[in-house]
């Protein structure tokens, strides 16, 4: 006899199958959402520069405060057909410091003719003297000084520049010279403090193809090579420069030095933030951040007048993790001479946290009210290939994208023959934030980041895990109960009713 086969009820089996399909469909939907502009929290129209396949667009604060992935993986740029375009993520170059130009006249250096290269300068003794307010260069040639006719036989082999008064580092040097036609000329630049010991700085080769015209402009037709020599921010204070060019018939008038204090700091992207009110503890302020973008710094300004509070800034990503120390600083607001002074931003080093705690020193009185807080981010830009037709849309902020895969290409793969910092020379496309389409509607005028208190109970991750666990236990219990109902009737043998006993022996016959 075959044992009976037990099956799950069809409704239960259908329910389990539907749940499995919904989970699978949910994974597929999440992947599909990354390529759908409508799935993102914000969509910003982008106006391209004219006639440029490769362009760049700066990420505005409205994008940075909505990213859910610390690696910017939930940023896309879509064309008019809703297709993501090839792109790369890049930083923004530091701001260039103001440059100054210093024009130096040339003092000719004479050397013996017929000697190649710099050999004609061997044995030269140079000195610069101040005589009655005039600068005089004394040039003596060993073995030829005082010999009649020697001076007339000498030729100009180079020039001396007095750079002793140049205080700032020199970024580059532009030559003011006329070149012979059809002859490459190698210019060498050297520096010295004493006019005896020279160290090389740089060299360049210039060539003039046309026989007519001696315009020294780099843009002159027929002029090949760069007349701007990179000196790599050389310190030339109290130095002389020597420029030589061998035997070429060069007319050298002088040079222009371009000085700079160096690259200025990169201008960060700032976003205002509403802060929840203080609780019962005036020395502690805890709030949540609705994004995962790394924060470069917090500008913390206490309320009131003449206030100074030493603080610690701590952060974490959820309540299950301990607070991590991010920075310590002193924040203040003071009035001096009628002018208000506040502290510099508190550097966080690019921390990506979801909850922030600001602790005032226990020896202080704490905060009288919640301080003003502004977020600062390092600037970032997308370098992209403008493929397809417009309009183009910058989309950012994909829910559940913390572990999403990045869609960024290496810059060397996107930009042909890529050179460092080349992306900063590409045409700049503009993101029109005023016409942004924000999921849920545009917020009211005010801080860019709304106030959010840190959660007091379990984190969302823990709630999800507990919900999945309880749902699994409930499903197993339901399955066990249904199986017990099916197996119980089959395991008990059927009981036949007893036959009725005869009333008398005659009935039994």
């Amino acid at each position: 006899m075959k044992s009976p086969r037990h099956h799950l009820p069809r409704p239960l089996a259908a329910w389990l199958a539907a749940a499995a399909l919904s989970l699978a469909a949910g994974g597929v939907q999440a992947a599909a959402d990354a390529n759908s502009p409508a799935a993102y929290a914000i969509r910003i129209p982008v106006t391209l520069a004219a006639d440029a396949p490769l362009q760049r667009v700066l990420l505005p604060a409205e994008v940075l405060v909505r990213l859910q992935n610390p690696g910017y993986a939930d940023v896309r740029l879509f064309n008019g057909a809703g297709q993501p375009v090839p792109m790369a993520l890049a930083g923004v170059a530091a701001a260039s410091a103001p440059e100054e130009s210093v024009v130096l006249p040339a003092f000719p250096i004479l050397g013996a003719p017929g000697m190649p290269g710099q050999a004609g300068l061997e044995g030269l003794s140079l000195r610069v003297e101040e005589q009655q307010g005039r600068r005089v260069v004394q040039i003596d040639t060993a073995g030829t000084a005082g010999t009649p006719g020697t001076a007339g036989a000498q030729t100009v082999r180079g020039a001396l520049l007095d750079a002793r008064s140049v205080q700032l580092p020199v970024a580059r040097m532009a030559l003011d010279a006329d070149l012979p036609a059809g002859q490459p000329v190698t210019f060498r630049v050297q520096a010295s403090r004493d006019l005896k010991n020279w160290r090389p700085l740089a060299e360049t080769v210039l060539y003039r193809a046309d026989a007519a015209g001696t315009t020294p402009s780099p843009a002159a037709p027929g002029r090949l090579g760069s007349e701007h020599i990179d000196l790599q921010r050389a310190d030339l204070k109290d130095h002389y420069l020597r420029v030589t060019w061998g035997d070429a018939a060069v007319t050298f008038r002088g040079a222009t030095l371009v000085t700079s204090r160096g690259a200025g700091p990169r201008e960060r992207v700032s976003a205002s933030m509403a802060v929840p009110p203080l609780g019962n503890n005036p020395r502690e302020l805890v709030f949540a951040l609705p994004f995962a973008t790394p924060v470069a710094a917090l500008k913390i300004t206490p309320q009131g007048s003449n206030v100074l509070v030493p603080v610690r800034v701590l952060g974490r990503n959820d309540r299950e993790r301990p607070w991590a120390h991010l920075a310590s600083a002193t924040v203040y607001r003071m009035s001096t001479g009628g002018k208000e002074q506040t502290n510099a931003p508190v550097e966080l080093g690019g921390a990506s946290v979801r909850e922030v705690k600001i602790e005032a020193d226990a020896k202080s009185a704490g905060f009288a009210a919640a301080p003003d807080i502004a977020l600062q981010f390092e600037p970032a830009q997308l370098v992209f290939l403008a493929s397809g037709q417009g309009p183009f849309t910058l989309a950012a902020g994909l829910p559940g994208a913390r572990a999403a895969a990045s869609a960024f290409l290496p810059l060397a793969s996107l930009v042909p023959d890529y050179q460092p910092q080349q992306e900063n020379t590409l045409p700049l496309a503009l993101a029109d934030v005023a016409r942004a389409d924000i999921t849920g509607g545009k917020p009211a005028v005010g801080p860019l980041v709304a106030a959010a208190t840190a959660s007091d109970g379990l984190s969302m991750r823990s709630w999800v895990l507990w919900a999945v666990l309880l749902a699994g236990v409930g499903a197993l219990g339901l399955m066990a109960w249904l199986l017990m109902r099916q197996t119980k009737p089959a395991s008990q043998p059927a009981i036949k009713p007893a036959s009725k006993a005869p009333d008398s022996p005659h009935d039994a016959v």
Side-chain angles (χ1 to χ4, degrees):
M1 180 178 179
K2 295 183 179 180
S3 59
R5 299 178 64 182
H6 306 291
H7 301 276
L8 289 177
R10 288 186 178 180
L12 178 61
W15 180 84
L16 292 175
L21 289 175
S22 65
L23 289 175
V28 174
Q29 183 66 26
D33 284 345
N35 294 322
S36 173
Y40 290 82
I42 187 171
R43 294 158 294 279
I44 305 175
V46 176
T47 303
L48 301 188
D51 300 328
L54 285 172
Q55 303 190 27
R56 59 192 176 103
V57 59
L58 301 176
L59 297 182
E62 287 78 4
V63 165
L64 299 178
V65 299
R66 288 176 171 84
L67 296 181
Q68 301 302 310
N69 184 284
Y72 296 36
D74 52 334
V75 175
R76 297 290 188 278
L77 189 66
F78 295 95
N79 58 22
Q83 301 169 336
V85 302
M87 62 180 183
L89 181 66
V92 178
S96 299
E99 295 181 337
E100 299 177 0
S101 296
V102 179
V103 179
L104 301 179
F107 300 97
I109 300 175
L110 301 180
M115 295 184 180
Q118 298 186 45
L121 299 179
E122 297 295 336
L124 287 179
S125 175
L126 309 178
R127 65 182 184 274
V128 180
E129 298 178 350
E130 301 289 342
Q131 298 179 0
Q132 299 178 353
R134 298 176 58 190
R135 184 169 298 170
V136 179
V137 180
Q138 300 290 342
I139 306 175
D140 296 329
T141 305
T144 61
T147 302
T150 303
Q154 291 179 334
T155 59
V156 177
R157 307 301 303 275
L160 185 69
L161 306 175
D162 187 0
R164 291 177 298 170
S165 61
V166 178
Q167 302 292 324
L168 299 178
V170 179
R172 58 189 181 274
M173 174 181 182
L175 304 179
D176 182 7
D178 297 337
L179 307 180
Q183 179 182 352
V185 181
T186 300
F187 290 89
R188 293 180 174 86
V189 183
Q190 297 172 302
S192 172
R193 287 180 178 269
D194 56 8
L195 297 175
K196 294 181 181 180
N197 302 303
W198 298 90
R199 60 183 176 90
L201 287 181
E203 68 177 53
T204 187
V205 178
L206 299 179
Y207 178 82
R208 183 169 66 88
D210 59 326
T214 58
T215 304
S217 170
R223 198 80 169 242
L224 305 179
S226 175
E227 296 184 14
H228 290 84
I229 304 174
D230 184 10
L231 297 187
Q232 300 181 353
R233 297 180 49 76
D235 183 8
L236 299 181
K237 182 181 179 182
D238 298 329
H239 280 74
Y240 299 97
L241 295 180
R242 186 171 72 180
V243 182
T244 58
W245 50 83
D247 296 327
V250 172
T251 301
F252 189 83
R253 288 176 289 270
T256 300
L257 304 184
V258 180
T259 62
S260 173
R261 297 183 181 274
R266 294 192 299 179
E267 184 177 356
R268 287 172 169 167
V269 180
S270 182
S272 58
M273 178 179 179
V275 182
L278 286 174
N280 297 327
N281 187 354
R283 297 185 181 89
E284 182 178 288
L285 175 65
V286 181
F287 56 91
L289 297 177
F291 55 82
T293 311
V295 180
L298 284 180
K299 183 68 170 74
I300 307 172
T301 307
Q303 300 280 1
S305 178
N306 295 329
V307 181
L308 185 146
V309 184
V311 298
R312 290 197 315 155
V313 181
L314 304 99
R316 66 183 181 186
N317 279 311
D318 54 65
R319 293 185 59 83
E320 280 71 28
R321 299 184 183 182
W323 289 103
H325 179 268
L326 300 179
S328 296
T330 299
V331 298
Y332 58 86
R333 186 197 294 263
M334 298 181 182
S335 296
T336 304
K339 295 183 179 180
E340 185 176 80
Q341 296 180 340
T342 60
N343 55 280
V346 180
E347 298 293 328
L348 300 186
S352 175
V353 293
R354 288 305 187 109
E355 295 183 1
V356 176
K357 179 195 288 188
I358 300 176
E359 285 185 345
D361 191 282
K363 300 176 183 178
S364 68
F367 297 104
D372 297 330
I373 294 180
L375 303 158
Q376 292 188 354
F377 306 96
E378 293 294 350
Q381 59 185 346
L382 292 184
V383 179
F384 64 94
L385 177 65
S387 59
Q389 299 297 320
F392 288 80
T393 302
L394 176 64
L398 190 64
R402 183 167 184 85
S406 172
F408 300 125
L409 296 173
L411 278 170
S413 300
L414 186 63
V415 181
D417 301 324
Y418 173 73
Q419 299 295 326
Q421 302 299 324
Q422 183 180 350
E423 65 273 12
N424 296 305
T425 64
L426 295 175
L428 185 63
L430 299 178
D432 191 354
V433 178
R435 296 192 295 127
D437 179 18
I438 302 175
T439 300
K442 291 187 177 181
V445 177
L448 195 57
V449 180
T453 57
S455 58
D456 294 330
L458 294 175
S459 64
M460 181 59 66
R461 179 172 175 269
S462 297
W463 278 114
V464 172
L465 291 176
W466 276 107
V468 171
L469 179 61
L470 293 176
V473 171
L476 289 176
L478 179 61
M479 292 173 60
W481 180 72
L482 292 174
L483 288 175
M484 288 178 61
R485 287 193 58 187
Q486 284 187 324
T487 56
K488 184 175 180 180
S491 61
Q492 295 179 353
I495 302 176
K496 296 182 179 180
S499 58
K500 186 178 181 181
D503 295 335
S504 63
H506 298 284
D507 296 333
V509 179

